[in-house]
Amino acid sequence: MTDTHCPYCALQCAMTLTPSGGPLPVSVAGRDFPTNRGGLCKKGWSSAELLGDRGRLTTPLVRGVDGELHSAEWDETLDLLAARLRQTADEHGHDAVGVFGGGGLTNEKAYQLGKFARIALRTSRIDYNGRFCMSSAAAAANRAFGIDRGLPFPLTDLDTAETILLLGSNVGDTMPPFVSHLQGARARGGLVVVDPRRSSTARLCADGGGTHLQPVPGTDLVLLLALIHVVIAERLYDRDYVAARTSGFAALRGSVSSWWPERAATITGVPAQSIREVARSLARAESAYILTGRGVEQHVDGTDTATAAIDLALLLGLPGAPGSGYGTLTGQGNGQGGREHGQKADQLPGYRKITDPAARAHVAAVWGVDPDIIPGAGIPAVELLQSAGLPGGIRALLVHGSNVVVSAPNVATVRAALDRLDLLVVSDFFLSETAQMADIVLPVLQWAEEEGTMTNLEGRVLRRRRAVDPPAGARSELWILAELARRLDAPGTWSLEPIEVFDELARASAGGPADYSGLSHALLDTGIEAHWPFPPGSLGTPRLFTDRFAHPDGRALLVAVRAREHEPPTAERLHLVTGRLLEQYQSGTQTRRVPELVSLHPALIVQLHPATARRHGIEEGGEVRIENDRGGLTAIAELTGDIRPDTVFLPFHYPGTASANLLTDDSVDPHSAMPEFKRALVHVSAV
Ligand code: SF4
């Protein structure tokens, strides 16, 4: 029996894998753990299917002159790859080689990938798919608190909350065991869910559980500014806390003066009285939390929206107060650790800034290199992908743990960009849609075949353990990076062992915001609670901000933000919001292979309101064409009164011509470079 955690989302539910003797190598059982209390969702229960999948890659693939991918030997493939990488750098410069990482990689792999990019490839062009996920929440937290840890408190703290304001997150579908932590507030009638859809989470508010606010997509910032307006106008804010622990109040007060609830109601569609009641209930509560998710963050104003949520929490004196707080719900399995160890364009391990001379010197000493050879900051994901094959852009790209031709915004342009590359290399364990486009595919280890660590949505570092032998022919990414580093004559040492890479990562993180220096695999194996920062001798930091925030003056910053102008929908053009289904995870590379999960929604569905459907001649189960300037697709109509009549919903797990990201906007947030995933205007018509 092997104790490990789920391969999918950031809740990282604990599970035990037992050799089964059946068609699958192991059986899965939920294991008691604070975040999941023994529970798993459908995805976790069926995760062993991934280990027996016949589509598993077991040999490198190289595209031949016939245009097809052919099996190849490791040595010849890595020789070829190293030669092509050298040639690209020699002809076009180091920055012509790009690296694209993923929020599902273990901490060890994310760390090694960042190091490989900087000192083996000498490129600044590295970023990762967390840019599409957590970047706005991270930018807001860094701005307000001086540090970014998704939940700065253990998840179980929510259990006793009187009021929880949950904005833009459908945990009922995305991470069902999380719902148990909302039940306390629900029982007190204090659950407030903000979502344009009456999602499974919003339905928890029925029957006295709380309040569901259903704003027009993309107007969350206005809603938050109106809540702040009420809190200030009615003097509901915590004056002692604001005076002692924050700065910036005067500017914030001035910035919200014009957002009285009646005005906000005309934009958001949320009644003014509801806005007042929610503000008052948050202020009245002895114990209150404000939580945000991608629904409010994946916008061009996502950083400002998350900032406004933090402003509201600070005014109410929540962050760092016992039984209260603000947090953001990380989505990808290692979405937290993945943004700490150096695969982000502007970052070195330990959540250090790559532009900070002291950080460069510290990390260079750990790597055994001169700080001057570490490149400067790179460019964020959308820009990196769009630069492919263009003058001054990347000409070769290594992709690890990401399926960008499904998950990137305005995905037709990303597919075209990848087509312009001289060399696309994908490391994956299945032939994802991105791997299908590659010149070279490298088969790597998955979840239950590898050792390592993950950091969950609470900033708690967890052990991932090997339960089964990988197929002969698949290799760890640590081995691949070490073999390439040797062929590229890279400086430094390149361990193949996760335990040693973790020790190096810990040294590199020492003294940084995300300090893992007191941790090791051996210590984690004792079962300790390991919330970072965890310097040597520490017992971990389950709760941040109890005494001070991470800015030099110890105060949190209240930041005045402005709402953007909105292009309203019309009878002809509707809002499109995208999101997840209960049974699918991200681009679906894994979950679309599990028959039990696929059977629930074998084809792309579009949710729309019955009145909207009637107006467009659309019937339940009928085919619907959804289009805008960027592209179009066809989906099966699912009529529901749970969605606003001016809005349609598409899940984003489907590939090819069914990819919702054919329609999404690649405009980005000026602070975080987060694309506008959660709002686009579309035309719908019956096919
Ligand atoms: Fe838990 Fe998330 Fe895995 Fe579901 S997908 S079992 S919620 S970790």
Side-chain angles (χ1 to χ4, degrees), residues 556-607:
L557 189 59
L558 291 161
V559 181
V561 294
R562 292 163 60 94
R564 61 176 159 158
E565 294 291 321
H566 282 277
E567 193 182 355
T570 62
E572 294 308 314
R573 290 199 307 171
L574 303 170
H575 290 298
L576 165 69
V577 294
T578 62
R580 285 170 54 181
L581 298 172
L582 168 64
E583 68 275 11
Q584 293 290 331
Y585 178 69
Q586 306 297 64
S587 75
T589 303
Q590 296 166 93
T591 45
R592 281 189 279 111
R593 294 174 182 277
V594 179
E596 180 189 339
L597 300 179
V598 171
S599 64
L600 297 170
H601 286 101
L604 178 69
I605 54 104
V606 56
Q607 287 183 351

Side-chain angles (χ1 to χ4, degrees), residues 499-540:
I499 192 169
E500 293 175 0
V501 174
F502 187 90
D503 289 346
E504 185 183 310
L505 171 166
R507 288 199 304 282
S509 75
D515 188 336
Y516 285 42
S517 60
L519 287 170
S520 63
H521 280 205
L523 187 58
L524 290 167
D525 283 339
T526 65
I528 57 156
E529 290 198 8
H531 300 85
W532 66 258
F534 203 113
S538 167
L539 294 175

Side-chain angles (χ1 to χ4, degrees), residues 6-13 15 36 39-45 174-178 580 585:
C6 177
Y8 300 118
C9 84
L11 199 58
Q12 283 294 288
C13 294
M15 54 172 55
N36 65 308
L40 299 172
C41 76
K42 283 189 173 74
K43 299 176 287 267
W45 282 119
T174 57
M175 42 179 77
F178 186 107
R580 285 170 54 181
Y585 178 69

Side-chain angles (χ1 to χ4, degrees), residues 10 103 107 128 134 148-151 328 330-341 351 454-460 514 516 532:
N107 289 320
Y128 80 124
M134 293 307 298
D148 158 38
R149 198 182 91 188
L151 292 184
T328 175
T330 300
Q332 291 195 79
N334 199 28
Q336 180 70 53
R339 64 185 192 264
E340 298 166 356
H341 302 300
Y351 221 133
M454 305 282 277
T455 304
N456 79 352
L457 77 175
E458 310 166 284
R460 183 196 301 245
Y516 285 42
W532 66 258

Side-chain angles (χ1 to χ4, degrees), residues 351-649:
Y351 221 133
R352 290 183 150 93
K353 289 194 174 75
I354 202 165
T355 47
D356 174 3
R360 295 170 64 86
H362 173 86
V363 172
V366 174
W367 288 350
V369 300
D370 186 323
D372 289 343
I373 77 158
I374 299 176
I379 55 177
V382 170
E383 200 181 334
L384 176 67
L385 294 172
Q386 298 290 5
S387 79
L390 298 180
I394 55 170
R395 306 199 65 89
L397 180 65
L398 310 182
V399 178
H400 292 254
S402 196
N403 190 11
V404 291
V405 303
V406 178
S407 62
N410 194 4
V411 78
T413 63
V414 172
R415 292 172 189 170
L418 297 193
D419 267 337
R420 295 194 297 265
L421 286 168
D422 299 334
L423 176 67
L424 175 63
V425 184
V426 175
S427 293
D428 210 325
F429 33 87
F430 295 125
L431 196 65
S432 70
E433 287 72 24
T434 307
Q436 288 167 33
M437 292 182 66
D439 302 291
I440 297 176
V441 181
L442 303 176
V444 293
L445 308 189
Q446 60 168 322
W447 153 69
E449 299 161 357
E450 63 182 6
E451 295 282 336
T453 59
M454 305 282 277
T455 304
N456 79 352
L457 77 175
E458 310 166 284
R460 183 196 301 245
V461 189
L462 306 167
R463 280 282 279 115
R464 168 178 278 194
R465 293 189 182 86
R466 177 168 167 159
V468 299
D469 291 335
R475 296 286 186 274
S476 85
E477 271 147 312
L478 298 182
W479 180 85
I480 293 169
L481 296 175
E483 286 292 311
L484 285 173
R486 180 170 63 78
R487 285 168 169 82
L488 294 168
D489 300 317
T493 56
W494 300 87
S495 174
L496 312 183
E497 298 301 329
I499 192 169
E500 293 175 0
V501 174
F502 187 90
D503 289 346
E504 185 183 310
L505 171 166
R507 288 199 304 282
S509 75
D515 188 336
Y516 285 42
S517 60
L519 287 170
S520 63
H521 280 205
L523 187 58
L524 290 167
D525 283 339
T526 65
I528 57 156
E529 290 198 8
H531 300 85
W532 66 258
F534 203 113
S538 167
L539 294 175
T541 316
R543 292 174 189 82
L544 293 170
F545 314 144
T546 51
D547 299 322
R548 57 180 284 118
F549 294 97
H551 288 304
D553 64 1
R555 289 170 176 262
L557 189 59
L558 291 161
V559 181
V561 294
R562 292 163 60 94
R564 61 176 159 158
E565 294 291 321
H566 282 277
E567 193 182 355
T570 62
E572 294 308 314
R573 290 199 307 171
L574 303 170
H575 290 298
L576 165 69
V577 294
T578 62
R580 285 170 54 181
L581 298 172
L582 168 64
E583 68 275 11
Q584 293 290 331
Y585 178 69
Q586 306 297 64
S587 75
T589 303
Q590 296 166 93
T591 45
R592 281 189 279 111
R593 294 174 182 277
V594 179
E596 180 189 339
L597 300 179
V598 171
S599 64
L600 297 170
H601 286 101
L604 178 69
I605 54 104
V606 56
Q607 287 183 351
L608 67 175
H609 194 277
T612 312
R614 254 195 319 277
R615 209 168 61 236
H616 293 274
I618 296 165
E619 294 181 351
E620 173 75 28
E623 288 195 343
V624 183
R625 186 76 189 154
I626 306 147
E627 295 171 293
N628 62 16
D629 292 347
R630 288 175 287 277
L633 52 75
T634 303
I636 306 297
E638 195 177 277
L639 308 191
T640 170
D642 288 342
I643 195 164
R644 294 176 54 92
D646 58 6
T647 302
V648 299
F649 169 82

Side-chain angles (χ1 to χ4, degrees), residues 94-398:
H94 293 301
D95 277 353
V97 179
V99 178
F100 201 94
L105 301 177
T106 61
N107 289 320
E108 291 81 355
K109 292 192 287 191
Y111 167 81
Q112 202 77 326
L113 193 62
K115 175 180 169 182
F116 178 80
R118 271 57 177 254
I119 68 171
L121 298 173
R122 306 277 303 274
T123 181
S124 70
R125 296 316 198 236
I126 176 169
D127 209 43
Y128 80 124
N129 64 15
R131 183 71 63 181
F132 301 156
C133 187
M134 293 307 298
S135 58
S136 286
N142 279 320
R143 183 159 74 170
F145 302 134
I147 197 167
D148 158 38
R149 198 182 91 188
L151 292 184
F153 48 81
L155 192 52
T156 46
D157 281 7
L158 295 179
D159 297 346
T160 52
E162 194 178 323
T163 301
I164 297 175
L165 172 60
L166 178 63
L167 299 120
S169 181
N170 182 16
V171 288
D173 280 5
T174 57
M175 42 179 77
F178 186 107
V179 169
S180 74
H181 301 286
L182 302 177
Q183 296 294 7
R186 183 191 181 205
R188 295 175 186 89
L191 180 62
V192 184
V193 175
V194 178
D195 195 316
R197 292 190 300 149
R198 188 160 55 229
S199 63
S200 61
T201 313
R203 269 185 238 123
L204 297 171
C205 302
D207 303 324
T211 307
H212 174 210
L213 305 182
Q214 209 165 356
V216 174
T219 64
D220 311 290
L221 177 51
V222 170
L223 176 64
L224 282 160
L225 294 176
L227 288 167
I228 294 171
H229 174 100
V230 173
V231 165
I232 294 178
E234 299 190 8
R235 296 180 69 77
L236 301 173
Y237 60 98
D238 184 333
R239 284 183 283 280
D240 293 341
Y241 181 102
V242 168
R245 303 209 56 189
T246 73
S247 53
F249 177 70
L252 177 66
R253 181 173 52 193
S255 72
V256 297
S257 58
S258 62
W259 284 111
W260 55 92
E262 284 72 14
R263 179 179 173 216
T266 63
I267 294 170
T268 63
V270 176
Q273 191 54 25
S274 300
I275 296 173
R276 288 199 172 87
E277 283 168 9
V278 167
R280 290 169 190 160
S281 73
L282 279 167
R284 238 187 353 251
E286 291 291 315
S287 161
Y289 289 85
I290 296 175
L291 305 172
T292 61
R294 303 306 83 71
V296 299
E297 296 162 4
Q298 288 179 316
H299 291 285
V300 290
D301 59 359
T303 302
D304 284 349
T305 305
T307 297
I310 295 173
D311 285 340
L312 178 61
L314 288 168
L315 286 174
L316 296 168
L318 308 184
S324 295
Y326 162 83
T328 175
L329 305 181
T330 300
Q332 291 195 79
N334 199 28
Q336 180 70 53
R339 64 185 192 264
E340 298 166 356
H341 302 300
Q343 59 175 334
K344 213 171 167 185
D346 55 354
Q347 192 192 70
L348 288 173
Y351 221 133
R352 290 183 150 93
K353 289 194 174 75
I354 202 165
T355 47
D356 174 3
R360 295 170 64 86
H362 173 86
V363 172
V366 174
W367 288 350
V369 300
D370 186 323
D372 289 343
I373 77 158
I374 299 176
I379 55 177
V382 170
E383 200 181 334
L384 176 67
L385 294 172
Q386 298 290 5
S387 79
L390 298 180
I394 55 170
R395 306 199 65 89
L397 180 65
L398 310 182

